[in-house]
Each structure stands twice: as structure tokens, then as C-alpha cells.
Amino acid sequence: MKKKARMPRTASRPARFGRIIGWSLLWLVILFMTGWGVMAIWYSNLSPSVRPWAAGLFGCVSLLLPLLLRPRYRGVIAFFCIFGAVVAWWFTIPPSNSRDWQPDVAVLPYADIAGDKVTIHNIRNCDYRTETDYTCHYYDRTFDLKKLKTVDMFLVHWGSPYIAHPIISFGFEGDGYISFSIETRKEKGEEYSAVKGFFRQYELTYVVADERDVVRLRTNYRKEDVHLYRLKVKPEMARKVFLDYLKEVNRLHERPEWYNALTGNCTTSVRQHTRPYNPNARFDWRIIINGTLDEMIYERGAIDRSLPFTELKRRSYINPVAQAADKDKDFSRRIRAGLPGSKP
């Protein structure tokens, strides 16, 4: 008797479903990576006439390869090879300290450190008439590290309640305060874009400034909401963090670096300076979505907890007193009057 011919095996329904899910997820990854690559090319240092064509060509080729090549895995491999080449090229785009900068970020600070004596050069103190009309002045000052007593955080809300800008200020007995604001270094005519912030469009800069400049700009001229908190920091830790800031200030003076809205922004950079010396520096999602950063440090006991948080935040709001103090040489003392956790 002849044996019956075997029917070809068909994949089971769960297996087919698994393949569909797997390819769907892979296509989502490919779409995301293609979108990133298109944006990276669009916002690159290629000439304006080349960028749209290069971005469009990359996008078309990236999406067509997995569809047209057979077997399909070859198209996927080809896509990852092309994407890898774009990423490798993107990382070669160099930052620069030589551009036509806006006046407020044109002069870089730097510091000389000799034992307990630290001389900071080019401390900014702009004279503002409006937010965009100002004259920049700079001065040098020598600080004694033995007199470093306090560390304060200004939390600036400039739009969304979920996004804020922290400014760290170090207080020296008898020598006042020196503030560090980590920002994008913009060229003349350039505006900040949250999208561009992911694509090597801005260099990173540390603005080292007088509080009458960097704080008053935000409270009195930009009309942003500013809260001031005294941080609970031991003097030895304050000294280490302060020197860590100056190390980065000097490094950027010599070698520029790109700002990145996700990995190298104002808040992640602050954490970078405190993490080596803070045993409670574990990661928290509020470091990225930083509008509630003050609530996070309250929960961790890093600021005054003698009041409920809502009351502490209300009393830490400094806009009215800052606007009243304006150009007063006692600006820093006046904005701290009655501040919870801060001694007169």
C-alpha cells in the first residue's frame, strides 16, 4: 500500500500570534529610531541646503529596507547598520567655544584654587533694563572655603508646572553668595527649543553670577515663579560640592561640551555634582520631570520639615520680596528674611 502524503505543517495559532507581536514591536523600534535619525540629521551641522535631502533620504531608506529586502531579517540588519553609521557620525559633531554668542553667555568663568582660597574670575552681574536689554558686568572675587556655611536652591518655574530650573547658591560668611546656573549657551538670535535640546544644538555653560543678576532676572523681569530653599548640607559636603562645580567650570572653559535635554541638563548636572558625596542620592523620576524637585528633597529630609510641605512652599515663594528689593545691595539678605530653615 502506498503511504499517504503528509500535509505540510502549519504554524500553530499562538506561534503566528507571537510572530505578529514580535514584528509589530520591532517595527515600533525601527520607527522610533528612524524618527530620531531624521531629527538628528535635520538639526545637524550639515549645510541648510543638504539637511532636508539627507534627512528625507535616510528616512525613506530606513523604512524601505526591511520591506524590500528578502529574507526580511537582512533588511532589518541593513537598517541597523545604516542607523549605527548615522549615530557614529552624529557623535563626531564637535562642540565649540568660538561662536557669535549672546552677550550674557559670551564670557566664560573660571577659577584659581590655592588651598582654602578660591578666586573666581568673570562672575556675572548684569544691569537689566528689560529681559533682553541689559549691560553685562563681570568681577573677580576670592572666597575662603573655611567660611563656606550654607547651600541654597532656587527652583524656577518658567512654564509647565512639571518643568523647573534649579539654581544652586553657596553662602560664605562675610562674603555673600555666589550662584551657579547650568544653562544652554545660545548664539545671537538663537532661541531655546526643547526639541533642539536633544540634538546637539546648544553648548552647555555654567553661569556663575551674583544673585542680583541670575535670580532677579527671573523674579523681576521674566516674571517666573521662584522658590528658595535652604538645603541641609554639612560644611564638609558643601565644600566638596562647591569644588566639584568649579572643576566643571574650569573644564568647560578649556573644553566645550554639548547640552542634552535628557542626560546633560540643569538638574542631571546638579545631581552629578552631589551624587559622589551624598549617600541619599538615589535616582528618582522627579530628577527628569523636575517641576516637583522640591517635594522630592522635602521627602528625603534635605530641606526644612518643621512645616507641612504646602506651607513651606508658600513661605518659600520669593517673587514679591525680590521685586521689592530690586537693585538693593542687600538683595540676598532681603529675599531670605523669614525663610524657613534659614537663620538671619
Side-chain angles (χ1 to χ4, degrees):
M1 294 179 62
K2 291 183 179 180
K3 293 183 177 179
K4 291 183 178 180
R6 292 184 178 179
M7 298 295 291
R9 291 184 178 179
T10 57
S12 65
R13 185 172 296 177
R16 289 198 303 270
F17 183 73
R19 283 201 296 270
I20 292 172
I21 294 297
W23 277 106
S24 298
L25 292 175
L26 180 60
W27 266 106
L28 287 175
V29 171
I30 290 174
L31 286 172
F32 174 80
M33 295 171 71
T34 299
W36 183 94
V38 168
M39 298 294 283
I41 296 170
W42 185 271
Y43 290 119
S44 71
N45 61 347
L46 296 174
S47 68
S49 61
V50 171
R51 285 199 302 264
W53 294 100
L57 180 63
F58 169 79
C60 291
V61 171
S62 296
L63 296 178
L64 289 175
L65 280 174
L67 291 175
L68 299 181
L69 285 185
R70 289 294 183 271
R72 192 172 293 174
Y73 73 85
R74 289 184 179 177
V76 174
I77 292 173
F79 162 77
F80 279 102
C81 289
I82 294 174
F83 180 79
V86 169
V87 171
W89 159 78
W90 186 73
F91 275 109
T92 66
I93 300 174
S96 175
N97 272 340
S98 301
R99 303 191 195 276
D100 190 14
W101 303 111
Q102 291 185 6
D104 58 332
V105 291
V107 179
L108 289 177
Y110 66 97
D112 295 322
I113 303 170
D116 287 331
K117 301 296 182 181
V118 173
T119 301
I120 302 179
H121 303 273
N122 300 328
I123 300 171
R124 198 184 77 184
N125 188 21
C126 291
D127 180 19
Y128 294 95
R129 292 169 289 278
T130 68
E131 178 186 349
T132 56
D133 181 17
Y134 52 84
T135 302
C136 286
H137 305 283
Y138 298 90
Y139 63 91
D140 301 343
R141 176 174 289 182
T142 299
F143 296 92
D144 187 344
L145 291 175
K146 294 193 295 293
K147 294 183 178 181
L148 176 55
K149 302 297 182 183
T150 63
V151 183
D152 297 321
M153 181 184 77
F154 296 90
L155 195 63
V156 183
H157 285 86
W158 45 269
S160 167
Y162 304 106
I163 301 296
H165 175 71
I167 297 172
I168 302 300
S169 190
F170 295 87
F172 291 81
E173 185 178 13
D175 288 321
Y177 299 87
I178 189 74
S179 296
F180 293 78
S181 179
I182 302 172
E183 303 179 9
T184 56
R185 196 179 187 194
K186 295 186 286 293
E187 299 174 62
K188 288 181 179 177
E190 191 173 34
E191 297 291 336
Y192 179 74
S193 162
V195 175
K196 289 183 179 181
F198 292 97
F199 294 102
R200 297 194 161 206
Q201 288 293 290
Y202 310 106
E203 277 79 5
L204 181 70
T205 190
Y206 279 48
V207 174
V208 183
D210 193 295
E211 289 184 348
R212 284 176 297 176
D213 174 339
V214 75
V215 176
R216 190 166 63 96
L217 167 64
R218 289 162 168 86
T219 56
N220 294 30
Y221 295 95
R222 293 183 181 172
K223 306 299 182 182
E224 297 166 342
D225 291 327
V226 182
H227 293 80
L228 171 57
Y229 301 99
R230 171 62 47 85
L231 301 179
K232 293 182 178 179
V233 179
K234 294 181 179 180
E236 57 268 26
M237 180 180 170
R239 173 176 174 148
K240 291 176 181 177
V241 173
F242 180 70
L243 290 174
D244 207 75
Y245 267 89
L246 293 182
K247 180 181 177 181
E248 183 67 8
V249 165
N250 284 344
R251 192 177 71 82
L252 291 175
H253 186 265
E254 298 298 326
R255 188 172 74 252
E257 179 181 316
W258 289 114
Y259 171 91
N260 185 284
L262 180 64
T263 61
N265 58 43
C266 56
T267 307
T268 58
S269 296
V270 169
R271 182 172 182 264
Q272 160 192 313
H273 294 302
T274 59
R275 183 177 55 186
Y277 319 110
N278 181 8
N280 197 27
R282 64 188 181 276
F283 182 79
D284 190 289
W285 64 270
R286 287 168 289 189
I287 294 171
I288 304 298
I289 311 300
N290 63 358
T292 56
L293 188 64
D294 48 357
E295 186 175 2
M296 184 196 80
I297 62 176
Y298 177 86
E299 291 172 1
R300 295 186 180 185
I303 56 177
D304 182 77
R305 296 188 63 177
S306 62
L307 299 169
F309 176 72
T310 52
E311 177 64 14
L312 172 69
K313 187 165 185 171
R314 185 188 68 80
R315 292 178 56 178
S316 299
Y317 182 66
I318 65 168
N319 284 53
V321 66
Q323 290 164 8
D326 199 29
K327 296 183 180 181
D328 193 330
K329 291 183 178 180
D330 248 358
F331 179 86
S332 294
R333 183 191 61 80
R334 289 180 62 176
I335 62 175
R336 287 173 172 80
L339 182 71
S342 175
K343 295 180 180 180

CSV table of all heavy atoms in Angstrom, one decimal, residues 132-153:
chain,number,residue,atom,x,y,z
A,132,THR,N,15.6,91.5,27.8
A,132,THR,CA,16.5,91.4,26.6
A,132,THR,C,17.4,92.6,26.5
A,132,THR,O,18.3,92.6,25.6
A,132,THR,CB,15.7,91.2,25.4
A,132,THR,OG1,14.8,92.3,25.2
A,132,THR,CG2,14.9,89.9,25.4
A,133,ASP,N,17.2,93.7,27.3
A,133,ASP,CA,18.0,94.9,27.2
A,133,ASP,C,18.8,95.0,28.5
A,133,ASP,O,18.3,95.3,29.6
A,133,ASP,CB,17.1,96.1,27.0
A,133,ASP,CG,17.9,97.4,26.9
A,133,ASP,OD1,19.2,97.3,26.7
A,133,ASP,OD2,17.3,98.5,27.1
A,134,TYR,N,20.1,94.8,28.4
A,134,TYR,CA,21.0,94.7,29.6
A,134,TYR,C,22.4,95.0,29.2
A,134,TYR,O,22.8,94.9,28.1
A,134,TYR,CB,20.9,93.3,30.3
A,134,TYR,CG,21.1,92.2,29.3
A,134,TYR,CD1,22.4,91.8,29.0
A,134,TYR,CD2,20.0,91.5,28.7
A,134,TYR,CE1,22.6,90.7,28.1
A,134,TYR,CE2,20.3,90.5,27.8
A,134,TYR,CZ,21.6,90.1,27.5
A,134,TYR,OH,21.8,89.0,26.6
A,135,THR,N,23.2,95.3,30.3
A,135,THR,CA,24.6,95.5,30.1
A,135,THR,C,25.3,94.6,31.1
A,135,THR,O,25.0,94.6,32.3
A,135,THR,CB,25.0,97.0,30.4
A,135,THR,OG1,24.3,97.9,29.6
A,135,THR,CG2,26.5,97.1,30.3
A,136,CYS,N,26.2,93.8,30.5
A,136,CYS,CA,26.9,92.8,31.4
A,136,CYS,C,28.1,93.3,32.0
A,136,CYS,O,29.0,93.9,31.3
A,136,CYS,CB,27.2,91.5,30.6
A,136,CYS,SG,25.8,90.5,30.2
A,137,HIS,N,28.3,93.1,33.3
A,137,HIS,CA,29.5,93.5,34.0
A,137,HIS,C,30.0,92.2,34.6
A,137,HIS,O,29.3,91.3,35.0
A,137,HIS,CB,29.2,94.5,35.1
A,137,HIS,CG,28.5,95.7,34.6
A,137,HIS,ND1,29.2,96.7,33.9
A,137,HIS,CD2,27.2,96.1,34.7
A,137,HIS,CE1,28.3,97.7,33.6
A,137,HIS,NE2,27.1,97.4,34.0
A,138,TYR,N,31.3,92.2,34.8
A,138,TYR,CA,32.0,91.0,35.4
A,138,TYR,C,33.0,91.4,36.5
A,138,TYR,O,33.6,92.5,36.4
A,138,TYR,CB,32.7,90.2,34.3
A,138,TYR,CG,31.8,89.6,33.3
A,138,TYR,CD1,31.5,90.4,32.1
A,138,TYR,CD2,31.1,88.4,33.4
A,138,TYR,CE1,30.6,89.9,31.2
A,138,TYR,CE2,30.3,87.9,32.5
A,138,TYR,CZ,30.0,88.7,31.3
A,138,TYR,OH,29.1,88.2,30.4
A,139,TYR,N,33.1,90.6,37.5
A,139,TYR,CA,34.1,90.9,38.5
A,139,TYR,C,34.7,89.6,39.0
A,139,TYR,O,34.2,88.5,38.8
A,139,TYR,CB,33.5,91.7,39.7
A,139,TYR,CG,32.4,91.0,40.5
A,139,TYR,CD1,32.7,90.2,41.6
A,139,TYR,CD2,31.0,91.1,40.1
A,139,TYR,CE1,31.7,89.6,42.3
A,139,TYR,CE2,30.1,90.4,40.8
A,139,TYR,CZ,30.4,89.7,41.9
A,139,TYR,OH,29.4,89.1,42.6
A,140,ASP,N,35.9,89.8,39.7
A,140,ASP,CA,36.6,88.6,40.3
A,140,ASP,C,36.4,88.7,41.8
A,140,ASP,O,36.4,89.8,42.3
A,140,ASP,CB,38.1,88.6,39.9
A,140,ASP,CG,38.3,88.6,38.4
A,140,ASP,OD1,37.4,88.2,37.7
A,140,ASP,OD2,39.4,88.9,38.0
A,141,ARG,N,36.4,87.6,42.5
A,141,ARG,CA,36.3,87.6,43.9
A,141,ARG,C,37.0,86.4,44.5
A,141,ARG,O,36.9,85.3,43.9
A,141,ARG,CB,34.8,87.7,44.4
A,141,ARG,CG,34.7,87.6,45.9
A,141,ARG,CD,33.3,87.8,46.4
A,141,ARG,NE,32.9,89.2,46.2
A,141,ARG,CZ,31.6,89.6,46.6
A,141,ARG,NH1,30.8,88.8,47.2
A,141,ARG,NH2,31.3,90.9,46.4
A,142,THR,N,37.7,86.6,45.6
A,142,THR,CA,38.4,85.5,46.3
A,142,THR,C,37.5,85.1,47.5
A,142,THR,O,37.1,85.9,48.3
A,142,THR,CB,39.8,85.9,46.7
A,142,THR,OG1,40.5,86.2,45.5
A,142,THR,CG2,40.5,84.7,47.4
A,143,PHE,N,37.3,83.8,47.6
A,143,PHE,CA,36.5,83.2,48.7
A,143,PHE,C,37.4,82.3,49.5
A,143,PHE,O,38.3,81.6,49.0
A,143,PHE,CB,35.3,82.4,48.1
A,143,PHE,CG,34.3,83.2,47.4
A,143,PHE,CD1,34.4,83.3,46.0
A,143,PHE,CD2,33.3,83.8,48.0
A,143,PHE,CE1,33.5,84.1,45.3
A,143,PHE,CE2,32.3,84.6,47.3
A,143,PHE,CZ,32.5,84.7,45.9
A,144,ASP,N,37.1,82.3,50.8
A,144,ASP,CA,37.8,81.4,51.8
A,144,ASP,C,36.9,80.2,52.0
A,144,ASP,O,35.7,80.3,52.5
A,144,ASP,CB,38.0,82.1,53.1
A,144,ASP,CG,38.9,81.3,54.0
A,144,ASP,OD1,39.0,80.1,53.9
A,144,ASP,OD2,39.4,81.9,55.0
A,145,LEU,N,37.3,79.0,51.7
A,145,LEU,CA,36.5,77.8,51.8
A,145,LEU,C,36.1,77.5,53.3
A,145,LEU,O,35.1,76.9,53.5
A,145,LEU,CB,37.2,76.6,51.2
A,145,LEU,CG,37.4,76.6,49.7
A,145,LEU,CD1,38.3,75.4,49.3
A,145,LEU,CD2,36.0,76.6,49.0
A,146,LYS,N,36.9,78.0,54.2
A,146,LYS,CA,36.6,77.8,55.6
A,146,LYS,C,35.4,78.6,56.0
A,146,LYS,O,34.7,78.3,57.0
A,146,LYS,CB,37.8,78.2,56.5
A,146,LYS,CG,39.0,77.3,56.3
A,146,LYS,CD,40.1,77.6,57.4
A,146,LYS,CE,40.6,79.0,57.3
A,146,LYS,NZ,41.4,79.2,56.1
A,147,LYS,N,35.0,79.6,55.2
A,147,LYS,CA,33.8,80.4,55.5
A,147,LYS,C,32.6,80.0,54.8
A,147,LYS,O,31.5,80.7,54.9
A,147,LYS,CB,34.1,81.9,55.2
A,147,LYS,CG,35.2,82.5,56.1
A,147,LYS,CD,35.4,84.0,55.7
A,147,LYS,CE,36.5,84.6,56.6
A,147,LYS,NZ,36.6,86.1,56.3
A,148,LEU,N,32.7,78.9,54.0
A,148,LEU,CA,31.5,78.4,53.3
A,148,LEU,C,30.5,77.8,54.3
A,148,LEU,O,30.9,76.8,55.0
A,148,LEU,CB,31.9,77.4,52.3
A,148,LEU,CG,30.8,76.6,51.5
A,148,LEU,CD1,29.9,77.6,50.8
A,148,LEU,CD2,31.4,75.7,50.5
A,149,LYS,N,29.4,78.4,54.5
A,149,LYS,CA,28.4,77.9,55.5
A,149,LYS,C,27.1,77.4,55.0
A,149,LYS,O,26.5,76.5,55.7
A,149,LYS,CB,28.1,79.2,56.4
A,149,LYS,CG,29.4,79.8,57.1
A,149,LYS,CD,30.1,78.8,58.0
A,149,LYS,CE,31.3,79.5,58.7
A,149,LYS,NZ,32.0,78.5,59.6
A,150,THR,N,26.6,77.8,53.9
A,150,THR,CA,25.3,77.4,53.5
A,150,THR,C,25.2,77.1,52.0
A,150,THR,O,26.1,77.5,51.2
A,150,THR,CB,24.3,78.6,53.8
A,150,THR,OG1,24.6,79.7,53.0
A,150,THR,CG2,24.3,78.9,55.2
A,151,VAL,N,24.2,76.3,51.7
A,151,VAL,CA,23.9,76.0,50.3
A,151,VAL,C,22.4,76.1,50.1
A,151,VAL,O,21.6,75.5,50.9
A,151,VAL,CB,24.3,74.5,49.9
A,151,VAL,CG1,24.0,74.3,48.4
A,151,VAL,CG2,25.8,74.3,50.2
A,152,ASP,N,22.0,76.9,49.2
A,152,ASP,CA,20.5,77.1,48.9
A,152,ASP,C,20.2,76.7,47.5
A,152,ASP,O,21.0,76.7,46.6
A,152,ASP,CB,20.2,78.6,49.1
A,152,ASP,CG,20.4,79.1,50.5
A,152,ASP,OD1,20.1,78.4,51.4
A,152,ASP,OD2,20.9,80.2,50.7
A,153,MET,N,18.9,76.4,47.3
A,153,MET,CA,18.4,76.1,46.0
A,153,MET,C,17.3,77.0,45.6
A,153,MET,O,16.3,77.1,46.4
A,153,MET,CB,18.0,74.6,45.9
A,153,MET,CG,17.5,74.2,44.5
A,153,MET,SD,16.8,72.5,44.4
A,153,MET,CE,15.2,72.8,45.1
